[in-house]
Amino acid sequence: MTPTAPLHDATASDAALRRFLHGLPGVDQVGAEQRAAGLGTRSIKAAAKAYAVDLAISMVDLTTLEGSDTRGKVRALSAKAQRPDPLDPTCPATAAVCVYPDMVPHAVDALGDSGVHVASVATAFPSGRAALDVKLADTRDAVEAGADEIDMVIDRGAFLSGRYLDVHDEIVAVKEACALPDGRSAHLKVILETGELQTYDNVRRASWLAMMAGAHFIKTSTGKVQPAATLPVTLVMLEAVRDYRIATGQQVGVKPAGGIRTTKDAIKHLVMVHEVAGPDWLDPDWFRFGASSLLDDLLMQRTKLTTGRYSGPDYVTMD
Amino acid sequence: MATFEYAPAPESRSAVTLRASYGLFVNGEFVDGRGTPFTTTDPATEEVLAEVAEADERDVDDAVKAARRAHTRVWSRMSGSERGKYLFRIARLVQERAREIAVLETLDNGKPIKEARDVDVPTAAAHFFYYAGWADKLEHAGLGTSPASLGVAGQVIPWNFPFLMLAWKVAPALAAGNTVVLKPAETTPLTALLFAEICQQADLPPGVVNIVTGAGATGHAVVAHDDVDKVAFTGSTEVGKAIARSVAGTGKKVTLELGGKAANIVYDDAPVDQAVEGIVDGIFFNQGHVCCAGSRLLVQESVAEEVLERLKRRMATLRVGDPLDKNTDVGAINSPEQLGRIQELVGVGEAEGAERWSVPCELPAKGSWFAPTLFTGVSQAHRIAREEIFGPVLSVLTFRTPQEAVAKANNTPYGLSAGVWSDKGSRILWTAARLRAGVVWSNTFNKFDPASPFGGYQESGYGREGGRHGLAPYLKGSER
């Protein structure tokens, strides 16, 4: 189960990689869903809820991925990312703003040295259906424009047809394209698009595959395919990063994305991070929410915790 | 806050109105007992909850007479569909008063509110609904063309699932047309007395359900009463044997659900994270106070180390403490006596050379508590691998081949339940077919459904409860 041989042996050939990934312990669907549901019943109140709400805000990758995105939209989103609650300076900033590659310069410009990261989806997002050199060019374009985080999609077609080494090598190539002239590298988040992988066994295999290829983060979904992030899928991915760190000593982050809209949902995810992967992952460096509307609900809940009143959407900035 | 510490989330006690003292429930009314009243306490806090009447032989006799009258004059003459209506009404009332029952159960028993709320009470309601449906279909149950009720059922239930065991006993008995004299355990009588109120609320005819409280002597009086036609007991093997002796030759029908020492077999290809969850659920659910608990983990040697590592990591996340906190996973041990027995057997395990590991957690200063514990290096020769501990203590054994797993699993005087974990369907079926146990769960554990029969082999007792099979012990001409 836990690999005893060095992991690079596992990627020596397609056959070796298949043997390794299929040698990972299976995931029982009923059991995984039951565990996720059980963790979802934790009752988080008072100080713990205030802590969770602020932590969740600091983990949000505030995202706009629309064909209709404009410079103005991205600038507005960037402003909100830095000051989610204009009336309360104690409210933390979000982790990042996530946009399409051509919008990166506007986000970089608007965020300045605020500390909020600029994330960009690349590699022919969301389908990933393009030639490798196009994907690499897409990635380099975003990195050169100033994105310090790249969200790439894996080739689900290759994965589902069993060409694991192709998927692996593509991730490696994209990671190389994330390199910056100063020797650093943009953080690479690998989107598994779990809604298309269908089974939890596939989710676990894809998680390991991405981590072995050097992903800094594994991410559930593009947000363009349903179902997107679900609790059991995040559970399986959290188990994978936990096991991977035990096996290799390397920590990898997790980012559920798509469909997380309420504070309640976000807290359920944090409980899971806490109890499955462990407290080390309760940090924006290791856990993110890919979301656009979640922030508003977090802010409304935050106001309610401080004032005792639930204010409603008109009291939250709408960008 | 440096880490994600959950603030207390206590369930409100206001759902429950505790009375200072409780009487017996005989012939539809609460009456005084003639024995010496005793107190029942909250095992988590040692707080005295109430004083409860003790039924002596005369009280039991009154209850049996009331049950006999109700059977002859009312309940056995009533049509099945009419009886079904009462049972449906009880089921709905159990649902309506679910929160009250769950809180009271948690107070009296020490189990986490999470389990009382999400498992015990909903499953109890499900049993009443299920058997309500059978009440007018008895001739279609495959137990003969015109099955008839036996008469008065004397039922004695344990303290681990006080309300759920009541439902398991009362629902099929009433559906089949019998009347009942039930004795709850002396440490957990309160939800049974709340059920008596529910019977009143449902306008159940007087005498159909009678509840007599007390300890062993009261139970003996119920079981030994000449006019009881059927005895149903869930509890320890020791008491079960005494009951079997006392009713031998009397013509009374008997079902006994007794102890267990279930094997939970984990093969090397098991879905490992879910298996770990199943092991935890198997032994730490309800503080291990479960007769079908998976108290013997049989793990294939090739993966033993890894499974144990994962198991310990998972056990360390169990939240032990205030049972009324909605985030509590493991509650209080039901009584100081039971705690003493657990401590004694754990001491034996250490003395015999097994290696003990307990979760490093802070236990409340007051009340009866025991940290989730496992023993490694256990063999079949250890007492902790043979005797039922009935607490949060897991014995871990290893095996090398499927044959060995089955042989070790069956090498026990008990046979109530077993678990098998493997991703390979054929291996699960091969194993399940060879295990001598009333229930074999595969890739899950501790799942209960009213439609599914439950019962044991050998010293785990005989007879089945639940499902169509659970009607048979309450009907005449239903031997097959």
Side-chain angles (χ1 to χ4, degrees):
Chain A
M1 297 195 198
T2 304
T4 47
L7 290 185
H8 62 257
D9 283 357
T11 55
S13 69
D14 219 357
L17 187 53
R18 170 188 306 278
R19 269 198 304 277
F20 177 80
L21 293 175
H22 286 258
L24 292 167
V27 182
D28 184 77
Q29 182 186 337
V30 176
E33 289 172 358
Q34 187 181 313
R35 169 81 170 132
L39 287 170
T41 64
R42 290 287 192 220
S43 180
I44 304 300
K45 305 243 179 260
K49 186 170 179 188
Y51 170 82
V53 166
D54 276 10
L55 183 62
I57 291 173
S58 75
M59 288 171 163
V60 168
D61 282 4
L62 199 55
T63 301
T64 182
L65 297 170
E66 302 297 331
S68 56
D69 284 346
T70 60
R71 178 181 176 176
K73 165 85 179 166
V74 170
R75 291 190 74 86
L77 206 65
S78 301
K80 182 165 181 174
Q82 294 170 71
R83 290 178 306 281
D85 185 348
L87 301 178
D88 183 357
T90 66
C91 180
T94 69
V97 166
C98 182
V99 294
Y100 273 118
D102 64 321
M103 289 290 140
V104 168
H106 308 310
V108 170
D109 186 38
L111 291 167
D113 55 4
S114 64
V116 176
H117 296 285
V118 177
S120 180
V121 294
T123 65
F125 180 92
S127 69
R129 298 252 76 95
L132 180 60
D133 45 356
V134 174
K135 293 180 183 177
L136 296 178
D138 197 17
T139 306
R140 275 192 289 270
D141 186 36
V143 173
E144 278 162 21
D148 58 353
E149 298 183 353
I150 295 295
D151 291 28
M152 74 165 287
V153 289
I154 63 164
D155 183 342
R156 283 87 76 191
F159 183 90
L160 290 171
S161 58
R163 290 185 283 116
Y164 298 133
L165 202 55
D166 288 356
V167 180
H168 175 271
D169 291 349
E170 190 168 287
I171 298 171
V172 171
V174 173
K175 191 176 177 186
E176 278 165 15
C178 288
L180 296 163
D182 63 3
R184 290 181 307 129
S185 167
H187 267 240
L188 182 63
K189 304 188 199 123
V190 177
I191 303 171
L192 311 178
E193 197 64 297
T194 52
E196 290 181 348
L197 300 186
Q198 303 264 335
T199 69
Y200 298 127
D201 285 331
N202 275 347
V203 171
R204 175 171 287 201
R205 284 175 198 143
S207 298
W208 276 82
L209 184 56
M211 291 188 288
M212 288 156 74
H216 295 112
F217 259 78
I218 49 176
K219 176 175 168 183
T220 60
S221 326
T222 60
K224 308 288 184 193
V225 168
Q226 285 301 321
T230 64
L231 279 171
V233 159
T234 310
L235 172 81
V236 172
M237 289 168 65
L238 286 166
E239 288 169 352
V241 295
R242 177 197 67 197
D243 293 349
Y244 189 77
R245 189 176 76 169
I246 290 167
T248 66
Q250 285 160 19
Q251 189 162 345
V252 175
V254 176
K255 177 178 171 184
I260 303 164
R261 294 190 183 86
T262 64
T263 301
K264 210 172 170 180
D265 280 348
I267 291 178
K268 284 181 186 177
H269 279 86
L270 293 182
V271 164
M272 201 140 85
V273 173
H274 180 218
E275 297 199 35
V276 176
D280 289 355
W281 270 266
L282 282 174
D283 184 299
D285 283 349
W286 303 113
F287 196 77
R288 295 280 180 85
F289 290 108
S292 46
S293 61
L294 169 64
L295 183 59
D296 288 351
D297 193 60
L298 286 166
L299 292 172
M300 285 190 273
Q301 289 294 340
R302 193 175 189 276
T303 314
K304 181 172 179 257
L305 286 171
T306 47
T307 66
R309 290 181 298 279
Y310 192 80
S311 46
D314 286 348
Y315 293 80
V316 185
T317 55
M318 66 172 274
D319 297 304
Chain B
M1 196 181 296
T3 58
F4 197 4
E5 289 161 12
Y6 305 160
E11 175 63 86
S12 167
R13 279 184 64 157
S14 65
V16 169
T17 316
L18 278 170
R19 286 191 248 151
S21 68
Y22 289 83
L24 314 172
F25 184 66
V26 177
N27 204 31
E29 285 170 6
F30 285 97
V31 298
D32 292 337
R34 278 167 276 203
T36 316
F38 58 101
T39 57
T40 183
T41 57
D42 177 347
T45 61
E46 298 174 16
E47 175 197 348
V48 173
L49 296 170
E51 191 180 78
V52 180
E54 188 199 27
D56 72 3
E57 282 187 21
R58 289 165 294 173
D59 297 315
V60 170
D61 188 50
D62 289 351
V64 173
K65 283 199 173 101
R68 173 65 61 199
R69 268 196 312 276
H71 178 257
T72 327
R73 297 183 189 170
V74 186
W75 200 245
S76 68
R77 296 183 177 189
M78 201 180 266
S79 71
S81 60
E82 204 59 25
R83 282 201 308 273
K85 280 185 201 170
Y86 283 104
L87 283 167
F88 276 121
R89 202 180 294 162
I90 290 171
R92 288 194 302 270
L93 287 168
V94 168
Q95 286 184 322
E96 277 170 27
R97 300 178 72 168
R99 186 145 164 267
E100 184 184 358
I101 301 168
V103 172
L104 187 60
E105 192 81 312
T106 294
L107 285 173
D108 206 16
N109 171 281
K111 65 173 63 200
I113 183 72
K114 187 173 84 172
E115 292 173 5
R117 176 194 69 194
D118 297 347
V119 181
D120 293 28
V121 179
T123 313
H127 269 82
F128 278 106
F129 277 115
Y130 176 81
Y131 281 110
W134 271 120
D136 62 350
K137 302 175 193 71
L138 296 175
E139 63 271 34
H140 306 295
L143 305 166
T145 49
S146 54
S149 59
L150 298 173
V152 175
Q155 308 181 322
V156 178
I157 58 172
W159 47 260
N160 57 343
F161 292 94
F163 196 76
L164 183 58
M165 289 300 107
L166 175 146
W168 278 27
K169 295 276 183 295
V170 172
L174 297 194
N178 303 273
T179 55
V180 162
V181 176
L182 176 115
K183 189 203 83 77
E186 66 270 27
T187 60
T188 57
L190 295 183
T191 45
L193 296 165
L194 179 59
F195 180 75
E197 280 180 29
I198 289 175
C199 291
Q200 286 181 328
Q201 205 182 342
D203 274 333
L204 194 70
V208 173
V209 169
N210 303 274
I211 291 164
V212 291
T213 43
T218 310
H220 178 75
V222 172
V223 168
H225 196 288
D226 284 344
D227 206 26
V228 161
D229 303 294
K230 149 84 190 169
V231 169
F233 172 75
T234 296
S236 72
T237 296
E238 194 190 339
V239 175
K241 285 180 180 173
I243 289 174
R245 270 185 227 110
S246 85
V247 300
T250 62
K252 291 176 190 175
K253 275 201 166 194
V254 189
T255 43
L256 300 171
E257 308 282 359
L258 310 177
K261 192 73 190 176
N264 205 356
I265 300 171
V266 178
Y267 284 114
D268 58 3
D269 64 341
V272 65
D273 287 306
Q274 288 72 49
V276 166
E277 286 307 312
I279 296 164
V280 166
D281 189 38
I283 185 63
F284 302 118
F285 180 72
N286 205 41
Q287 298 73 248
H289 300 330
V290 185
C291 42
C292 53
S295 52
R296 273 187 304 150
L297 173 63
L298 290 173
V299 57
Q300 197 151 10
E301 241 178 64
S302 51
V303 293
E305 204 177 316
E306 174 171 6
V307 169
L308 275 172
E309 241 171 63
R310 285 170 186 264
L311 179 59
K312 287 179 180 176
R313 195 166 55 225
R314 173 68 178 91
M315 282 168 65
T317 69
L318 286 170
R319 305 171 64 83
V320 186
D322 180 7
L324 274 178
D325 192 313
K326 293 171 203 160
N327 292 324
T328 292
D329 298 316
V330 179
I333 302 301
N334 181 253
S335 66
E337 293 72 43
Q338 185 56 29
L339 179 62
R341 163 143 178 96
I342 295 167
Q343 284 164 338
E344 184 203 325
L345 276 164
V346 164
V348 168
E350 284 176 324
E352 286 179 338
E355 196 181 324
R356 172 185 177 174
W357 183 86
S358 294
V359 172
C361 62
E362 208 175 305
L363 299 175
K366 263 194 142 183
S368 300
W369 300 91
F370 199 85
T373 293
L374 63 78
F375 275 102
T376 49
V378 180
S379 74
Q380 290 286 95
H382 284 80
R383 256 182 81 189
I384 51 168
R386 307 207 70 79
E387 286 185 36
E388 186 179 34
I389 300 176
F390 222 63
V393 181
L394 177 68
S395 297
V396 183
L397 299 90
T398 59
F399 68 90
R400 291 157 300 176
T401 63
Q403 282 81 0
E404 188 182 349
V406 168
K408 282 185 168 172
N410 286 338
N411 179 219
T412 168
Y414 295 108
L416 199 51
S417 70
V420 186
W421 298 81
S422 168
D423 242 11
K424 200 173 214 171
S426 57
R427 182 174 291 162
I428 289 171
L429 294 174
W430 183 91
T431 308
R434 283 159 181 77
L435 290 172
R436 279 199 311 271
V439 183
V440 179
W441 286 293
S442 71
N443 290 341
T444 190
F445 211 90
N446 273 345
K447 287 280 168 292
F448 296 98
D449 188 285
S452 171
F454 181 89
Y457 280 70
Q458 306 189 104
E459 298 214 1
S460 290
Y462 42 76
R464 293 292 179 263
E465 291 181 306
R468 193 176 57 81
H469 308 70
L471 287 167
Y474 289 98
L475 290 168
K476 270 181 206 158
S478 55
E479 296 302 334
R480 69 191 178 88

